[in-house]
């Protein structure tokens, strides 16, 4: 059974296809053959603008968690031998402050369906029973429907695809390294987050987007490169607006 032929899913994909082709046609006088890629960038920016309020809430939550760090340290000291009590008291503290240790996951969760739709739009030869013209669109000669790994292992080899994909990957790696250095998580002494192993794991998470990008079509990789760049700039701006306590920086 083809899940993409299921009525509701096919309708969503067809609507997304229609919106993407319309936007590409509207941008073509300005961007020429890169119209579909420009449409992907425009969609990314629209999504990120819509998520600005979520980013503000995330920055406030991060500021609150940093402010709570001394109280969390006290809880760990007081209840380190009673993990259940420690977890209960920690969650009560977060609840009293109207925040959550998982507040930072919201932007990722909200964008996941959009990345999934873009992935599908530039992967399937047919959308809702008709030919998918987006697959023939390109960015500087690199076909938007081809991913780096697919090109390298399944062919045919394309130098433009290698160069464009490599450029996007370099952007994502640079953003990941900058984010890792600039936005280290605030850990509580003696907590699992404070262990060297967990610090390395948390640092490695910044690079997951780049790893994911090598497997998806170029259009989805373009979306990811733009969105991580936007996220870095937004976090820098919001960190100035909602600075962390000096002791937590």
């Amino acid at each position: 059974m083809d899940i993409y032929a299921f009525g509701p899913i096919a309708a969503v994909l067809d609507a997304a296809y229609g919106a993407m082709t319309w936007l590409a046609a509207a941008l073509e006088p300005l961007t020429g053959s890169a119209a579909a890629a420009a449409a992907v960038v425009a969609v990314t920016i629209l999504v990120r603008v819509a998520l600005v309020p979520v980013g503000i809430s995330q920055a406030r939550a991060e500021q609150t968690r940093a402010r709570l760090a001394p109280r969390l340290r006290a809880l760990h000291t007081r209840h380190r031998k009673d993990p259940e009590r420690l977890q209960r008291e920690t969650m009560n503290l977060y609840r009293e402050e109207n925040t959550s240790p998982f507040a930072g996951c919201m932007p990722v969760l909200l964008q996941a369906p959009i990345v999934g739709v873009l992935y599908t739009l530039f992967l399937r030869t047919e959308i809702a029973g008709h030919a998918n013209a987006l697959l023939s669109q390109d960015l500087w000669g690199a076909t938007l429907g081809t991913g780096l790994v697919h090109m390298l292992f399944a062919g045919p080899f394309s130098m433009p695809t290698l160069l464009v994909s490599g450029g996007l990957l370099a952007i994502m790696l640079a953003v990941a390294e900058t984010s890792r250095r600039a936005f280290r998580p605030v850990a509580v002494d003696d907590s699992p987050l404070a262990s060297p192993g967990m610090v390395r794991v948390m640092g490695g998470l910044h690079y997951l987007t780049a790893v994911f990008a090598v497997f998806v079509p170029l259009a989805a990789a373009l979306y990811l490169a733009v969105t991580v760049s936007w996220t870095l700039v937004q976090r820098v701006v919001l960190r100035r607006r909602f600075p962390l306590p000096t002791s937590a920086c």
Side-chain angles (χ1 to χ4, degrees):
M1 178 182 176
D2 183 5
I3 188 174
Y4 298 106
F6 181 58
I9 296 178
V12 170
L13 289 176
D14 197 29
Y17 176 83
M20 187 65 69
T21 53
W22 175 86
L23 185 56
L27 293 172
E28 188 172 5
L30 297 174
T31 59
S33 61
V40 172
V41 173
V43 168
T44 310
I45 293 174
L46 288 174
V47 170
R48 294 305 312 187
V49 169
L51 290 176
V52 165
V54 178
I56 293 173
S57 297
Q58 180 183 357
R60 285 174 172 165
E62 188 177 16
Q63 185 185 52
T64 300
R65 289 195 299 270
R67 179 171 53 81
L68 293 178
R71 296 172 65 183
L72 289 170
R73 293 188 186 98
L75 287 177
H76 275 270
T77 301
R78 190 179 307 128
H79 304 297
R80 68 175 62 190
K81 296 183 180 180
D82 188 350
E84 293 185 3
R85 175 73 182 277
L86 175 59
Q87 182 179 12
R88 186 167 61 252
E89 294 293 338
T90 299
M91 296 311 298
N92 286 339
L93 178 58
Y94 280 123
R95 194 177 301 113
E96 290 173 5
E97 297 291 336
N98 196 29
T99 188
S100 166
F102 308 108
C105 299
M106 187 60 68
V108 176
L109 296 176
L110 290 176
Q111 289 185 89
I114 299 168
V115 176
V117 169
L118 278 175
Y119 177 89
T120 305
L121 285 181
F122 288 91
L123 185 68
R124 295 183 59 80
T125 57
E126 288 189 358
I127 300 293
H130 55 77
N132 184 358
L134 291 173
L135 293 181
S136 62
Q137 304 299 310
D138 66 86
L139 173 62
W140 300 320
T143 306
L144 293 178
T146 302
L148 180 60
V149 168
H150 183 275
M151 183 272 292
L152 291 175
F153 291 95
F157 178 80
S158 167
M159 182 57 70
T161 298
L162 180 64
L163 293 176
V164 173
S165 298
L168 294 176
L169 187 61
I171 291 172
M172 285 182 272
L173 289 173
V175 169
E177 178 62 15
T178 302
S179 299
R180 184 187 69 83
R181 292 174 179 271
F183 302 104
R184 298 179 186 275
V186 178
V188 179
D189 294 342
D190 299 325
S191 74
L193 282 178
S195 66
M198 185 56 67
V199 169
R200 287 192 294 270
V201 170
M202 296 296 290
L205 292 178
H206 291 284
Y207 300 92
L208 281 182
T209 300
V211 173
F212 181 68
V214 304
F215 294 98
V216 299
L218 184 61
L222 178 60
Y223 176 94
L224 293 172
V226 175
T227 200
V228 296
S229 301
W230 177 289
T231 300
L232 175 59
V233 174
Q234 178 177 283
R235 290 194 70 184
V236 170
V237 172
L238 290 177
R239 176 61 62 86
R240 293 178 179 177
R241 175 65 180 83
F242 303 100
L244 302 186
T246 302
S247 60
C249 295

